[in-house]
Amino acid sequence: MWIYEKKLQYPVRVDTTNPTLAAMIIEQFGGADGELSAGIRYLTQRWTMPTNQAKGLLTDIGTEELAHWEIIGTLVWRLVKDATVEQIKGTPFEAHYVNHGKSPFPHNAAGSPWTATFINSKADPVADLHEDMAAEEKARATYEWLINISDDPGVTDTLRFLREREIVHFQRFGEALMIVQDELNRKKFY
Amino acid sequence: MWIYEKKLQYPVRVDTTNPTLAAMIIEQFGGADGELSAGIRYLTQRWTMPTNQAKGLLTDIGTEELAHWEIIGTLVWRLVKDATVEQIKGTPFEAHYVNHGKSPFPHNAAGSPWTATFINSKADPVADLHEDMAAEEKARATYEWLINISDDPGVTDTLRFLREREIVHFQRFGEALMIVQDELNRKKFY
Amino acid sequence: MWIYEKKLQYPVRVDTTNPTLAAMIIEQFGGADGELSAGIRYLTQRWTMPTNQAKGLLTDIGTEELAHWEIIGTLVWRLVKDATVEQIKGTPFEAHYVNHGKSPFPHNAAGSPWTATFINSKADPVADLHEDMAAEEKARATYEWLINISDDPGVTDTLRFLREREIVHFQRFGEALMIVQDELNRKKFY
Amino acid sequence: MWIYEKKLQYPVRVDTTNPTLAAMIIEQFGGADGELSAGIRYLTQRWTMPTNQAKGLLTDIGTEELAHWEIIGTLVWRLVKDATVEQIKGTPFEAHYVNHGKSPFPHNAAGSPWTATFINSKADPVADLHEDMAAEEKARATYEWLINISDDPGVTDTLRFLREREIVHFQRFGEALMIVQDELNRKKFY
Amino acid sequence: MWIYEKKLQYPVRVDTTNPTLAAMIIEQFGGADGELSAGIRYLTQRWTMPTNQAKGLLTDIGTEELAHWEIIGTLVWRLVKDATVEQIKGTPFEAHYVNHGKSPFPHNAAGSPWTATFINSKADPVADLHEDMAAEEKARATYEWLINISDDPGVTDTLRFLREREIVHFQRFGEALMIVQDELNRKKFY
Amino acid sequence: MWIYEKKLQYPVRVDTTNPTLAAMIIEQFGGADGELSAGIRYLTQRWTMPTNQAKGLLTDIGTEELAHWEIIGTLVWRLVKDATVEQIKGTPFEAHYVNHGKSPFPHNAAGSPWTATFINSKADPVADLHEDMAAEEKARATYEWLINISDDPGVTDTLRFLREREIVHFQRFGEALMIVQDELNRKKFY
């Protein structure tokens, strides 16, 4: 529907009205290892990277993560937009509803708000790229827990796509780390 | 029972023992747009207001909001005071109970604690009064979500009264904004 | 100037323009053991107290603490209201100024915002009254650190008055604890 | 240098090496009323807006705010990138440096990390647009405090440009509010 | 299983697979008055204590609390380790699971993360020991609420043991307070 | 002086009274990548590790990090214990002093309190060990920033020792990751 989504041209599919699942999926909208954490982290680490390639990689993946953040928001929204109040009552989405109605909001599945303490930027490219690889592994793990509890086939399919992207990002950060370490070693010797 | 309540002489009515509803109503005791946020915000903004009328308005409404905070606390308390442990188990109030027993506590419906980051005070009367008008609109919206899920007629009635007060406050802040803007314009020209 | 202040009829005295001191005094406006913590804590613990005397004591002291909160805000305000931007630059008040101008705000001297996690309410009168006694001791200690660094005689004098009040509150909570323990013991035996 | 910046084609100018100013400017990178708050807030509120025009407006302004977030990050970076450790020691940037080196990070001038509690999304378009108007007024006020303390002409010029944008956004949110209110009224009558 | 546990030689007993109970027990792993709060608080307060006996007491009890923290983690783990995903779905443990799988994590029963604002250290031994006595009373109260909702006999038994320890610690802090006060009085007079 | 310190038998050396340096060193007592984060993280991740060797490694390093946490606290304490109030005034330690006196406290150099959101535990050994390797790299980077600003030779020496330990831990976590990945692969094939 919006700019980020168009770029990926990936169909977001939701098959059920399911406030409980919405309340869990929101983990990746505002949780520790969710898409907002990823996007803000990578876009923040760019200034101190030593090569243009690494800056470009962080910009590309950071932007893609914000697009994924929008996909997650759309999953949450579609899972609740047709829900009646009676369907919401008694589910873990109820506590969200009395504050935010049916709007997504950047907190985790337990309702704890997103905080910049979820991420870091150390101005040390080796440390930052290790943080980024760890972030992708943690995001992958979160997608696996979510896939385990999902009982909506369309949502499961979308989550599988997003999990695959984290694995690709992990590999690309690993390659960047090797290049950056070579660059730093080269500087030491010449 | 206490000083603030006397001032309003408004009957607080609760018709059921209902821990789930208590866990939702607590949103207005310690949530983002609840009565504590309102009271602390207005009382904090007073020092930098440019007219005595605006200072007085913030004092009046800030004090009234603390009285409403007490009303909300009383709703929460009456909804749980006669509940057995078995009535609490399995409800969203259980997580509150293992920390605070049956006492109200300033966190939101998801159990996230009140924080001063919910409010601001900018020493800029135009910005502050816009923040206050927005706060009243957001508190009104919260009351509407709570009224939607309330299944206790007495609580619903009390929530309707409190929602009406937010609308009145919104209008009074709007009037104060016009007066402050006139005052600021007048100062520029003479 | 406002309602709370009138009740105490205590002169708030500030002798200097002193942004650095303002940045430190704000500890008691929004810090862990400051007046806001005290007021919100005691007013929150009232519902579950077992005797009317204990409820009344918490209401009285809680209300007095909010009045002290206003006194602290007034100290902060008077220490900065006549400061030029040049007097603020280079002081620890500068970080506060770029967000809040010269308005007080409920954060501590390091700029960390007030949070309800500073306080607790356990629905256990013995635990709550111990928490209250500890709170008064911690507030007293904070006043002593502030008096040590204050170089404004009027502020020092006001801080000494407020420190004395914490000692009185400590004693009154100690008496309430004895009465509550007697009451609880009496219930067990008859 | 990056995608967002290109869109605006606005020159970011920094004339000095100035860690103290960097430590203050960071308020708009990760503070309550900074560009990150604005971007995340508007992009989060889109799903529940009642008209495509309002959704589009939130997308446009939200994206622009993320571009401004990048401008602020670039100001911070350029103010410190050539600073020696001796130039950083004794300034308010030192506490930032021991954690993040010279990288920007989303916290405010006092070092308090960005939190989603700075923003809200209520699924009530009237409340949300009031929140947005207030946000723009508060961002404007913050820019004024920063302009007051800035002693770098290039930075001041960039801050003035950004302040102007907040005023434009405020007006556009005001127009959207009128259209949304008309739409909501129309729905009630037909 | 690990070092701390061996020291106490206390059997940790869990009789059921019970994700709901695990979600509540976690209050003492990462909640306001839990074992982590106790351990970090006492170990932090040691440097400024005036006597070696008080330093030693804080070290002993602080270390014991970290051992109890491990016991609580073991209770949480054993209550969920054999649970199927279907047994977790629909329970309050589900929000924990989508972030942390079956691993314990230091947040409270509502999922709010542990924060150092739960504790304080004032460099004033009288204030600190009062804080410690209050902490033990609040931990005792939490254990009582948890015992009330526990439906696993082994867990109940372990919780009773831990509650007893808090009572012993309370008494020991009371004795240390008397000794410290005597010491401080002695210093004043000689 | 205490148990942990004895284990390492490493001399903690401080050559100056230096409140500013104390205020920076505290980053490793309560900051994002400090010793408390490391200790709590590793001790929390133990239950879900797939091999006894990995559990043992996390226990060993977690315990060593708590010992390092004590070393950092001792550095902070010795840097301020002989400071007069006049030596503290005007330094970044002043904001700490008005709350905590001369006691260490788990917050970072900017005074932001320690929070469990600095760490994670995913019940996925590959993700957790990547998080641990990243944590060691980030801790190393922090030590480098601190060594850069340290002007106390004894403190610098101690920081260098602690930095070396992070490099050793990084390597050991890397080895554990390979073993765990082999173990996981082996399980898939047999």
Side-chain angles (χ1 to χ4, degrees):
Chain A
M1 194 179 336
W2 296 296
I3 49 156
Y4 293 125
E5 228 170 295
K6 273 181 204 144
K7 264 184 62 177
L8 278 181
Q9 320 214 275
Y10 182 79
V12 175
R13 217 179 90 221
V14 174
D15 297 335
T16 59
T17 289
N18 195 334
T20 296
L21 185 55
M24 297 303 132
I25 296 293
I26 214 164
E27 181 71 30
Q28 292 296 66
F29 195 75
D33 306 311
E35 301 291 354
L36 185 61
S37 293
I40 303 302
R41 177 191 285 113
Y42 304 148
L43 295 176
T44 295
Q45 290 174 349
R46 294 175 299 173
W47 285 275
T48 55
M49 278 290 146
T51 70
N52 280 333
Q53 193 252 18
K55 284 177 188 174
L57 182 67
L58 285 168
T59 302
D60 286 355
I61 299 184
T63 307
E64 184 185 340
E65 304 286 23
L66 289 186
H68 293 175
W69 182 60
E70 190 172 31
I71 290 174
I72 296 288
T74 302
L75 291 181
V76 171
W77 165 242
R78 291 196 192 163
L79 283 164
V80 297
K81 74 182 166 62
D82 298 322
T84 62
V85 170
E86 288 312 309
Q87 286 176 305
I88 287 167
K89 284 176 70 171
T91 75
F93 194 77
E94 190 175 5
H96 175 99
Y97 173 79
V98 300
N99 186 359
H100 308 294
K102 293 177 177 178
S103 174
F105 190 77
H107 55 205
N108 70 7
S112 196
W114 195 84
T115 156
T117 54
F118 285 149
I119 68 174
N120 213 346
S121 181
K122 301 298 292 185
D124 179 303
V126 172
D128 282 354
L129 288 166
H130 274 287
E131 151 116 335
D132 301 344
M133 290 169 73
E136 297 294 340
E137 286 291 330
K138 292 186 286 177
R140 175 190 55 71
T142 308
Y143 278 121
E144 288 172 13
W145 306 136
L146 285 171
I147 288 164
N148 284 354
I149 59 102
S150 171
D151 39 24
D152 178 306
V155 169
T156 301
D157 195 45
T158 310
L159 296 174
R160 280 199 184 115
F161 163 76
L162 293 167
R163 182 188 55 182
E164 289 311 300
R165 296 304 302 158
E166 311 302 25
I167 294 168
V168 171
H169 297 163
F170 174 80
Q171 289 164 338
R172 295 197 65 195
F173 283 129
E175 293 155 17
L177 178 61
M178 284 192 298
I179 293 167
V180 161
Q181 279 174 326
D182 284 354
E183 174 79 10
L184 294 175
N185 287 335
R186 204 178 51 78
K187 277 190 182 155
K188 281 185 192 151
F189 294 123
Y190 297 98
Chain B
M1 193 180 334
W2 295 297
I3 48 155
Y4 293 124
E5 228 169 296
K6 274 179 204 149
K7 262 184 66 178
L8 279 180
Q9 321 215 276
Y10 182 79
V12 175
R13 217 180 90 222
V14 174
D15 297 335
T16 59
T17 287
N18 195 334
T20 296
L21 185 54
M24 298 302 134
I25 296 292
I26 214 164
E27 181 71 31
Q28 293 295 69
F29 195 75
D33 306 311
E35 302 292 354
L36 185 62
S37 293
I40 304 301
R41 177 191 284 112
Y42 305 147
L43 296 175
T44 296
Q45 291 174 349
R46 293 175 299 173
W47 285 275
T48 56
M49 279 289 147
T51 69
N52 280 332
Q53 193 252 15
K55 283 178 189 172
L57 182 66
L58 286 167
T59 303
D60 286 356
I61 300 184
T63 308
E64 185 185 339
E65 303 287 22
L66 288 185
H68 294 175
W69 182 60
E70 189 171 32
I71 291 176
I72 295 288
T74 303
L75 291 180
V76 171
W77 166 243
R78 292 196 192 164
L79 284 163
V80 297
K81 72 184 167 62
D82 299 323
T84 62
V85 170
E86 289 311 309
Q87 285 176 306
I88 286 168
K89 284 177 68 173
T91 75
F93 195 77
E94 190 176 3
H96 175 100
Y97 173 79
V98 298
N99 187 357
H100 308 294
K102 293 178 176 179
S103 174
F105 190 77
H107 56 205
N108 71 6
S112 197
W114 195 84
T115 156
T117 55
F118 285 149
I119 68 172
N120 214 344
S121 182
K122 301 297 292 186
D124 178 304
V126 172
D128 281 354
L129 288 166
H130 273 288
E131 152 116 334
D132 300 344
M133 290 169 72
E136 297 294 341
E137 286 290 332
K138 291 187 285 178
R140 175 193 53 72
T142 308
Y143 278 121
E144 288 173 13
W145 306 136
L146 285 171
I147 288 165
N148 284 354
I149 58 103
S150 170
D151 39 24
D152 178 307
V155 169
T156 301
D157 195 45
T158 311
L159 296 174
R160 280 199 184 114
F161 163 76
L162 293 167
R163 181 187 58 183
E164 288 312 299
R165 294 306 300 159
E166 310 301 24
I167 294 168
V168 171
H169 297 163
F170 174 79
Q171 289 165 338
R172 296 197 65 194
F173 283 128
E175 292 155 17
L177 178 61
M178 285 192 297
I179 292 167
V180 161
Q181 280 175 326
D182 284 355
E183 175 77 10
L184 295 175
N185 287 333
R186 204 176 53 78
K187 278 192 182 152
K188 282 184 191 151
F189 295 122
Y190 297 98
Chain C
M1 195 179 335
W2 296 295
I3 48 154
Y4 293 123
E5 226 169 298
K6 272 179 204 147
K7 262 184 63 176
L8 277 180
Q9 320 214 274
Y10 182 80
V12 174
R13 218 180 90 220
V14 173
D15 296 336
T16 60
T17 289
N18 195 334
T20 296
L21 185 54
M24 297 303 133
I25 296 292
I26 214 164
E27 181 71 31
Q28 293 295 67
F29 195 74
D33 306 312
E35 301 292 354
L36 185 61
S37 294
I40 304 302
R41 177 191 287 112
Y42 304 147
L43 296 176
T44 295
Q45 290 173 349
R46 295 175 298 172
W47 285 275
T48 55
M49 278 291 147
T51 69
N52 281 332
Q53 193 252 18
K55 284 176 187 173
L57 182 67
L58 285 167
T59 302
D60 286 355
I61 299 184
T63 307
E64 185 185 340
E65 304 287 22
L66 288 185
H68 293 174
W69 182 60
E70 189 171 33
I71 290 174
I72 296 288
T74 302
L75 291 181
V76 171
W77 166 243
R78 291 194 193 164
L79 283 163
V80 297
K81 75 183 165 61
D82 298 323
T84 62
V85 169
E86 288 313 309
Q87 286 176 305
I88 286 167
K89 284 177 67 171
T91 74
F93 195 77
E94 191 175 5
H96 175 101
Y97 173 80
V98 299
N99 186 359
H100 308 294
K102 293 177 177 178
S103 175
F105 190 77
H107 55 205
N108 71 6
S112 197
W114 195 84
T115 157
T117 53
F118 285 149
I119 67 174
N120 214 343
S121 181
K122 301 297 291 185
D124 178 303
V126 172
D128 282 354
L129 288 166
H130 274 287
E131 151 117 333
D132 301 344
M133 290 169 72
E136 297 294 340
E137 286 292 329
K138 292 187 285 177
R140 176 192 54 71
T142 308
Y143 278 121
E144 287 172 14
W145 306 135
L146 285 171
I147 288 165
N148 284 354
I149 60 101
S150 170
D151 40 23
D152 179 307
V155 169
T156 301
D157 195 45
T158 311
L159 296 174
R160 281 200 183 114
F161 163 75
L162 293 167
R163 183 188 55 183
E164 289 311 301
R165 295 304 301 158
E166 311 302 25
I167 295 168
V168 171
H169 298 163
F170 174 80
Q171 289 164 337
R172 295 197 64 194
F173 284 128
E175 292 155 17
L177 178 61
M178 285 191 298
I179 292 167
V180 161
Q181 280 175 324
D182 284 354
E183 174 77 11
L184 295 175
N185 287 334
R186 204 178 51 78
K187 278 190 184 156
K188 282 183 192 154
F189 294 123
Y190 298 98
Chain D
M1 192 178 337
W2 296 297
I3 49 155
Y4 293 125
E5 229 169 295
K6 273 178 203 149
K7 261 185 66 177
L8 278 180
Q9 320 215 276
Y10 182 80
V12 175
R13 219 181 88 221
V14 173
D15 297 336
T16 59
T17 289
N18 196 334
T20 297
L21 185 54
M24 298 302 134
I25 296 292
I26 215 164
E27 181 71 31
Q28 293 295 68
F29 194 75
D33 306 311
E35 302 291 354
L36 185 62
S37 294
I40 303 302
R41 177 192 284 113
Y42 304 148
L43 296 175
T44 296
Q45 292 173 348
R46 294 175 301 173
W47 285 275
T48 55
M49 278 289 148
T51 70
N52 280 332
Q53 193 251 16
K55 284 178 187 170
L57 181 66
L58 286 167
T59 303
D60 286 356
I61 300 184
T63 307
E64 185 185 340
E65 304 287 21
L66 289 186
H68 294 175
W69 181 61
E70 189 171 32
I71 291 175
I72 295 288
T74 303
L75 291 180
V76 171
W77 165 244
R78 292 197 193 164
L79 284 164
V80 298
K81 73 184 167 63
D82 299 322
T84 62
V85 170
E86 288 312 308
Q87 286 176 305
I88 286 167
K89 285 176 67 171
T91 75
F93 194 78
E94 190 175 4
H96 175 100
Y97 172 79
V98 299
N99 187 358
H100 309 293
K102 293 177 176 178
S103 173
F105 190 77
H107 56 204
N108 71 6
S112 198
W114 195 84
T115 157
T117 54
F118 285 149
I119 67 173
N120 214 344
S121 183
K122 301 297 292 185
D124 178 303
V126 172
D128 281 354
L129 288 167
H130 273 288
E131 152 116 334
D132 300 343
M133 291 169 72
E136 296 294 339
E137 286 291 330
K138 291 187 286 178
R140 175 191 54 72
T142 307
Y143 277 121
E144 288 173 13
W145 306 135
L146 284 171
I147 289 165
N148 284 353
I149 60 102
S150 170
D151 38 24
D152 178 306
V155 169
T156 302
D157 195 45
T158 310
L159 296 174
R160 281 200 183 113
F161 162 76
L162 293 168
R163 182 188 55 183
E164 288 312 299
R165 295 305 300 158
E166 311 301 25
I167 295 168
V168 171
H169 297 164
F170 174 80
Q171 290 165 337
R172 295 197 65 195
F173 284 128
E175 292 155 17
L177 177 61
M178 285 192 297
I179 292 167
V180 161
Q181 280 174 325
D182 284 354
E183 175 77 9
L184 294 175
N185 287 333
R186 203 176 53 77
K187 277 191 183 154
K188 282 185 192 150
F189 295 122
Y190 297 98
Chain E
M1 194 181 332
W2 295 297
I3 46 156
Y4 293 125
E5 227 169 296
K6 273 179 206 148
K7 262 183 65 176
L8 279 179
Q9 321 216 271
Y10 182 79
V12 175
R13 215 180 91 221
V14 174
D15 297 336
T16 60
T17 288
N18 195 332
T20 296
L21 184 56
M24 298 303 133
I25 296 292
I26 214 165
E27 181 71 31
Q28 293 296 67
F29 194 74
D33 306 312
E35 301 291 355
L36 185 61
S37 294
I40 304 301
R41 177 191 285 113
Y42 305 147
L43 296 176
T44 295
Q45 291 173 350
R46 294 176 297 173
W47 285 275
T48 55
M49 278 290 147
T51 69
N52 280 333
Q53 191 253 17
K55 285 177 188 173
L57 182 66
L58 285 167
T59 302
D60 286 355
I61 300 184
T63 306
E64 184 185 340
E65 304 287 21
L66 289 185
H68 293 175
W69 181 61
E70 189 172 33
I71 291 175
I72 295 288
T74 303
L75 291 181
V76 171
W77 166 243
R78 292 196 191 163
L79 283 164
V80 296
K81 74 183 167 61
D82 298 322
T84 63
V85 170
E86 289 312 309
Q87 286 176 305
I88 287 167
K89 284 177 68 172
T91 75
F93 194 77
E94 190 175 5
H96 176 99
Y97 173 79
V98 299
N99 187 359
H100 308 294
K102 293 178 177 177
S103 174
F105 189 76
H107 56 204
N108 70 6
S112 197
W114 195 84
T115 156
T117 54
F118 285 149
I119 67 173
N120 214 344
S121 181
K122 302 297 293 183
D124 178 302
V126 172
D128 281 355
L129 288 167
H130 274 287
E131 152 116 334
D132 301 344
M133 291 169 72
E136 297 294 340
E137 287 290 330
K138 292 187 285 178
R140 175 192 53 73
T142 307
Y143 277 120
E144 288 173 13
W145 306 135
L146 285 170
I147 288 165
N148 284 353
I149 58 104
S150 170
D151 38 24
D152 179 307
V155 170
T156 301
D157 194 45
T158 311
L159 297 174
R160 280 200 184 116
F161 163 75
L162 293 168
R163 182 187 57 181
E164 288 312 300
R165 295 305 300 158
E166 311 301 25
I167 294 168
V168 170
H169 297 163
F170 173 79
Q171 288 164 338
R172 295 196 65 195
F173 284 129
E175 292 156 17
L177 177 61
M178 284 192 299
I179 292 168
V180 161
Q181 279 175 326
D182 283 354
E183 174 78 10
L184 295 175
N185 287 334
R186 203 178 50 79
K187 276 191 184 153
K188 281 185 191 150
F189 295 122
Y190 297 98
Chain F
M1 195 179 335
W2 295 296
I3 48 155
Y4 294 125
E5 227 169 295
K6 273 179 205 149
K7 262 184 64 176
L8 278 179
Q9 320 214 273
Y10 182 79
V12 175
R13 215 180 90 220
V14 174
D15 296 336
T16 60
T17 288
N18 196 333
T20 296
L21 185 54
M24 298 302 133
I25 296 292
I26 214 165
E27 181 71 30
Q28 293 295 67
F29 194 75
D33 307 311
E35 301 292 354
L36 185 61
S37 293
I40 304 301
R41 176 190 287 112
Y42 305 147
L43 296 177
T44 296
Q45 292 174 348
R46 294 176 298 172
W47 286 275
T48 55
M49 279 289 148
T51 68
N52 280 332
Q53 192 250 20
K55 283 177 188 174
L57 182 66
L58 286 166
T59 302
D60 285 355
I61 300 185
T63 307
E64 184 185 341
E65 304 288 21
L66 289 186
H68 294 174
W69 181 60
E70 188 171 34
I71 290 175
I72 295 289
T74 302
L75 291 180
V76 171
W77 166 242
R78 292 196 192 163
L79 283 164
V80 297
K81 73 183 166 62
D82 299 322
T84 63
V85 170
E86 289 312 309
Q87 286 176 306
I88 286 168
K89 284 177 68 171
T91 75
F93 195 78
E94 190 175 4
H96 175 100
Y97 173 79
V98 299
N99 187 358
H100 309 293
K102 293 177 177 178
S103 174
F105 190 77
H107 56 205
N108 71 6
S112 198
W114 196 85
T115 156
T117 55
F118 285 148
I119 68 173
N120 214 344
S121 181
K122 301 297 291 185
D124 177 303
V126 173
D128 281 355
L129 288 167
H130 273 287
E131 153 116 333
D132 301 343
M133 290 168 73
E136 296 295 340
E137 286 291 330
K138 293 187 285 178
R140 175 193 53 73
T142 307
Y143 278 120
E144 288 173 13
W145 306 135
L146 284 171
I147 288 165
N148 285 353
I149 59 103
S150 170
D151 39 24
D152 179 307
V155 170
T156 301
D157 195 46
T158 311
L159 297 174
R160 280 199 184 115
F161 162 76
L162 294 168
R163 182 188 56 183
E164 289 312 299
R165 295 304 301 157
E166 311 301 25
I167 294 168
V168 171
H169 297 164
F170 173 80
Q171 289 164 337
R172 296 197 64 195
F173 284 128
E175 292 155 17
L177 178 61
M178 285 192 297
I179 293 166
V180 161
Q181 280 175 325
D182 284 353
E183 173 79 10
L184 294 175
N185 287 334
R186 203 176 52 77
K187 278 193 184 152
K188 282 185 191 151
F189 295 122
Y190 298 99

